[in-house]
């Protein structure tokens, strides 16, 4: 390294709880530029970690070069409502329970907490308490973690239960003794749970790194730069996916400096470098996991949507979050984070991975395919005797697609296509 950072061993170390938040959640939530900024900031506090110089040059060059593959868009960060609505529509068929989930979504405040009680919900919706609690539970399983909580305590518990490497007693302490934990009653908690006081302190350090306001990340608009981490190519009808030069970067470990410090006869130094080495190991594992997850998800999407990549005019096949989650044996929230703000370069342009997830109708058909079929039927109709919505429904049924007359009307309006009486051309 051209610049050698010298740590101040005398100061109290600022403990960063890397294992859970970085490895399991945070790295997948960050888009490619945010990831680069995050790593550069983290390196400042760890003299044993280096971000490869090639990574610095790659991002800087991409930002400065107008002809780069990066595309500056005027898009805004997706609203929390749209983010939740998208997940609900992808995960659940149109049912009464789904309508109740949307009702709860409309009760969220600026923090992402629900503002109505179950009793108030029963009175307003007419649903049973059991139905409403079921719907709220499904909302609380969506991304971001902690959404739909009724209190700070529940918000922290919802996040903790999703993290595989959270301290063993973190959830139960939050559930049973949240007040004691915030009041730092180390000895009382240590006695109750038969653990050491330092273990109780680690729980608080972990909790302090959680997000008290799950909706916070959806409140500011921004203009993103797009760096596609994947690229899809079509050769002789074969669709394949590879990582681009913008793939998840891996860190380098300053072995020489570690060995130099390791031979010093100072317990404070040895403890310090031990913690920083562990931080590096966990962070590197998290980056490798992010890299692997995005590639696996992107490859699975390309396999399901091969027809689109061969010919974009064919539209998207039916594919939902839970399809990918089951196929890849991943949690649905993990897949949701992997497809959000992760981009893939294709022969027809650069797309966000989530744009390849096609919503289904209650009959199991792809909404994209239905829209395409309706448009084609109307384009080919006899303009002097255009197809009514009922006739369109019958035509769809003949091709194996089930959609009611009301459903056709809804889709036709969403496509800005007028009714048959207005499409009629008099000869």
């Amino acid at each position: 390294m051209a610049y050698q950072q010298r740590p101040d061993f005398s100061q109290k170390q600022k403990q960063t709880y890397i294992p859970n938040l970085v490895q399991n959640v945070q790295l997948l939530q960050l888009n490619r530029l945010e990831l680069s900024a995050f790593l550069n900031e983290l390196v400042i506090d760890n003299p044993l970690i280096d971000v490869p110089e090639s990574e610095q040059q790659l991002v800087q060059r991409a930002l400065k070069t107008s002809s780069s593959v990066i595309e500056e868009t005027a898009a805004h960060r997706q609203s929390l409502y749209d983010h939740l609505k998208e997940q609900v529509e992808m995960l659940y068929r149109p049912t009464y329970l789904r309508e109740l989930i949307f009702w709860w979504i409309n009760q969220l405040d600026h923090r992402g907490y629900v503002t109505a009680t179950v009793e108030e919900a029963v009175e307003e919706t007419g649903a049973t308490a059991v139905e409403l609690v079921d719907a709220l539970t499904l909302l609380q399983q969506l991304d971001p973690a902690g959404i739909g909580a009724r209190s700070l305590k529940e918000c922290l518990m919802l996040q903790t239960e999703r993290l595989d490497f959270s301290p063993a007693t973190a959830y139960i302490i939050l559930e049973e003794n949240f007040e004691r934990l915030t009041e730092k009653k180390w000895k009382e908690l240590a006695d109750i749970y038969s653990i050491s006081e330092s273990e109780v302190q680690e729980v608080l350090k972990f909790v302090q790194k959680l997000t008290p306001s799950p909706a916070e990340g959806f409140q500011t608009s921004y203009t993103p730069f797009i760096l596609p981490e994947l690229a899809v190519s079509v050769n002789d009808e074969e669709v394949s996916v590879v990582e681009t030069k913008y793939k998840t970067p891996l860190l380098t470990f300053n072995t020489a400096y570690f060995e130099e410090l390791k031979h010093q006869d100072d317990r404070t130094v040895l403890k310090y470098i031990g913690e920083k080495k562990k931080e590096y190991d966990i962070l590197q594992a998290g980056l490798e996991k992010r890299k692997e997850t995005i590639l696996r998800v992107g490859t699975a999407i390309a396999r399901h949507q091969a027809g689109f990549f061969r010919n974009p005019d064919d539209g998207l096949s039916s594919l939902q979050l839970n399809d990918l989650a089951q196929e890849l044996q991943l949690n649905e929230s993990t897949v949701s984070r992997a497809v959000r703000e992760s981009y893939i370069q294709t022969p027809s342009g650069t797309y966000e991975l989530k744009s390849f997830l096609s919503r289904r109708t209650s009959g199991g058909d792809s909404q994209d395919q239905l829209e395409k079929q309706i448009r084609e039927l109307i384009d080919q109709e006899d303009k002097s005797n255009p197809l009514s919505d009922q006739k369109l429904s019958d035509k769809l049924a003949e091709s194996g697609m089930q959609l009611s007359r009301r459903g056709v009307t809804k889709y036709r309006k969403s496509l800005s296509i007028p009714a048959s009486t207005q499409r009629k051309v008099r000869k």
Side-chain angles (χ1 to χ4, degrees), residues 169-187:
T169 55
Y171 187 89
I172 191 71
I173 290 177
L174 284 171
E175 184 177 34
E176 298 178 348
N177 283 288
F178 179 57
E179 291 74 19
R180 279 194 175 98
L181 183 65
T182 57
E183 292 167 3
K184 300 182 180 180
K185 295 184 177 179
W186 312 132
K187 189 174 188 314

Side-chain angles (χ1 to χ4, degrees), residues 331-396:
N331 189 283
E332 287 175 3
S333 62
T334 299
V335 176
S336 175
R337 286 190 291 270
V339 299
R340 182 169 171 257
E341 292 194 66
S342 294
Y343 293 85
I344 186 168
Q345 199 173 356
T346 79
S348 59
T350 300
Y351 300 89
E352 190 175 13
L353 285 180
K354 74 176 182 182
S355 65
F356 296 104
L357 299 179
S358 171
R359 294 172 292 176
R360 286 194 192 119
T361 65
S362 57
D365 296 307
S366 163
Q367 292 190 12
D368 299 87
Q369 292 285 5
L370 282 167
E371 288 179 356
K372 178 175 180 289
Q373 190 70 9
I374 290 171
R375 190 183 291 278
E376 286 181 355
L377 287 170
I378 292 175
D379 287 344
Q380 296 166 9
E381 69 185 358
D382 179 356
K383 300 304 179 187
S384 63
N385 185 26
L387 299 169
S388 67
D389 289 348
Q390 183 58 57
K391 287 182 179 178
L392 286 169
S393 176
D394 296 340
K395 291 276 188 183
L396 289 171

Side-chain angles (χ1 to χ4, degrees), residues 40-58:
N40 284 321
E41 184 178 335
L42 197 70
V43 164
I44 295 173
D45 289 330
N46 192 331
L48 301 180
I49 295 178
D50 284 324
V51 175
E53 189 175 344
S54 58
E55 163 70 7
Q56 307 275 10
Q57 294 174 345
L58 183 68

